[in-house]
Amino acid sequence: MTVDTAAAPVRAIKLPALTTLPVVTALPVVTALRPITLPAPASALMTGCVPVHALLDAESPRLAGVDQDHVRLLAGLETELPPIVVHRSTLRVIDGMHRLHAARLRGRESIAVRWFDGTRPEAFLLAVEANNRHGLPLTLSDRRESARRILRAWPEWSDRAVAAKVGLSGKTVGVLRRTAAENGEAAAPGELPAARVGCDGRARPLNATEGRLRAMDYLAVRPEASLREIARSAGISVETARDVRDRLGRGEGPLPGSGAGARTGAAGARGPGGRTGVRAPAPDGEGAARRPDRAALDLPLVLDSLKRDPTLKYSDEGRAMIRWLEARMIREGESGVVLRAPDHQAPKIAAMARACAAHWAEIAAELEHRGARSATEEN
């Protein structure tokens, strides 16, 4: 039997309009999806009845599928159940699979529906929200898998924004995002969004280093620009813009810990091709930059010993840590890939290297402190 979805008065469940955030120079336009909510009252959205055999099963967030005990419980109720929500373009159930199965168990030929117009990812998101609001609760595994699907569909959403949809903590969503990236399930680095959209719909840049470098470039062209103008152009906060401007005024680099000896064209020299950049540190008398002694530590040997440690080898967190370390370890000869960079980009890459080194120094200090404290307690 063919269902005529255009027949009779039909009122669609519409998504709120997508809100486009203000465009930030050098950042892609990020579109924030507002929470999908069903208008009330429900009776105002009823569209009549649809044959139960014409409806398709949902792309449900429930990994275990339909709970037959719950279906029998609903089928035994004497009260009329609320209408189910159906994706108009596919006739696939979004919310109400247990009610649909209960209607079939009762021998009903038709069921009341509300129509939803939107994409399949939006339909799944609505199913997750609806199941979190009422009915049989989603299990922890259901919510985790739902978070993974939402992260694949909207990688620009913040951890807290996704967590609010699925009923998890922001930290748990962050772990799921990192695990997906480590397992190659996330988008390639070049395809990742440059900003994250929070629960408030505002976009915030992911990489503070890139924002500071954009501010440096903007100041080189417009040294008289106001702090708000710099912040808006670079996609950073006003306070960060102030810090970058103050650092450049002191002859330092734009990044914390970059030290003196780095100036921009707004206050000093211009790089090749007229482009303003951070000046590299002066070499020593031998014509080569000073380098720390790395020969005392055999990095591959240390990594191999970590891989053999049972406390790391047989735990998900331990294996993830080893993969993280292995991906960030610089092996002999690999630095040549970076050292062959074009001269006009060398200052930026140098600033990134210094920022990474500063992060590693903080990690090393914390780990050394923990190791010393543990040794003291054992003694």
Side-chain angles (χ1 to χ4, degrees):
M1 178 176 180
T2 304
V3 180
D4 183 8
T5 59
V10 173
R11 293 197 55 179
I13 302 172
K14 294 186 179 295
L15 284 169
L18 297 179
T19 303
T20 303
L21 298 172
V23 178
V24 178
T25 305
L27 275 178
V29 179
V30 182
T31 301
L33 282 174
R34 297 295 182 182
I36 299 176
T37 55
L38 291 175
S43 59
L45 297 167
M46 291 181 64
T47 63
C49 294
V50 172
V52 295
H53 71 268
L55 300 175
L56 303 176
D57 285 357
E59 290 184 288
S60 174
R62 302 184 188 279
L63 300 177
V66 175
D67 185 324
Q68 294 301 326
D69 290 337
H70 193 61
V71 170
R72 286 190 287 271
L73 175 65
L74 294 179
L77 296 177
E78 295 182 0
T79 57
E80 193 67 27
L81 297 175
I84 65 175
V85 181
V86 177
H87 194 203
R88 186 199 300 269
S89 61
T90 63
L91 291 181
R92 192 174 293 278
V93 177
I94 295 173
D95 178 42
M97 275 301 300
H98 288 96
R99 280 168 278 167
L100 176 62
H101 280 255
R104 290 171 177 168
L105 187 60
R106 289 178 177 180
R108 298 283 184 86
E109 294 185 356
S110 59
I111 189 170
V113 303
R114 291 180 285 169
W115 297 113
F116 172 80
D117 293 311
T119 65
R120 288 181 63 175
E122 289 167 347
F124 179 79
L125 179 63
L126 178 57
V128 173
E129 287 195 299
N131 279 282
N132 275 328
R133 282 198 304 267
H134 64 78
L136 195 63
L138 295 177
T139 67
L140 179 59
S141 298
D142 294 338
R143 295 198 297 273
R144 285 174 175 268
E145 182 57 31
S146 297
R148 293 187 185 97
R149 287 191 60 171
I150 293 172
L151 284 170
R152 289 195 293 270
W154 292 285
E156 72 275 14
W157 281 17
S158 71
D159 295 342
R160 289 185 179 181
V162 176
K165 300 294 184 186
V166 299
L168 293 172
S169 69
K171 290 183 178 179
T172 300
V173 174
V175 171
L176 295 174
R177 190 194 297 271
R178 289 192 296 273
T179 302
E182 290 164 1
N183 294 336
E185 299 170 4
E191 301 172 358
L192 292 174
R196 290 267 173 86
V197 181
C199 295
D200 57 1
R202 295 178 59 189
R204 296 168 178 84
L206 280 175
N207 193 331
T209 298
E210 281 296 322
R212 285 174 172 268
L213 293 174
R214 283 193 295 270
M216 178 189 72
D217 287 345
Y218 192 81
L219 276 167
V221 178
R222 300 196 58 185
E224 76 289 349
S226 68
L227 290 175
R228 290 190 179 278
E229 187 179 349
I230 298 167
R232 184 169 57 252
S233 172
I236 57 178
S237 68
V238 172
E239 285 305 311
T240 302
R242 185 194 307 277
D243 183 65
V244 171
R245 190 179 66 179
D246 291 347
R247 287 176 179 278
L248 297 178
R250 294 193 300 267
E252 300 176 3
L255 306 176
S258 54
R263 290 182 180 271
T264 63
R270 287 187 176 271
R275 181 178 177 82
T276 302
V278 179
R279 186 177 296 154
D284 61 17
E286 298 297 325
R290 299 183 185 275
R291 297 174 182 173
D293 182 16
R294 300 187 299 269
L297 188 63
D298 188 335
L299 295 179
L301 185 62
V302 174
L303 185 65
D304 189 56
S305 69
L306 292 174
K307 289 180 177 179
R308 293 197 302 269
D309 185 343
T311 60
L312 301 176
K313 182 179 180 180
Y314 297 113
S315 74
D316 292 339
E317 191 173 12
R319 289 193 296 271
M321 185 196 74
I322 290 172
R323 288 195 298 270
W324 189 87
L325 289 170
E326 192 169 19
R328 287 156 179 81
M329 186 176 73
I330 300 177
R331 295 168 178 80
E332 192 68 29
E334 286 184 341
S335 59
V337 175
V338 178
L339 294 176
R340 290 192 293 272
D343 290 346
H344 69 281
Q345 294 292 355
K348 286 187 178 181
I349 299 173
M352 291 176 65
R354 289 184 183 280
C356 291
H359 284 304
W360 271 112
E362 292 175 3
I363 293 171
E366 173 64 21
L367 293 173
E368 287 169 349
H369 176 70
R370 285 172 49 192
R373 184 175 58 192
S374 176
T376 302
E377 290 173 354
E378 289 177 1
N379 294 333

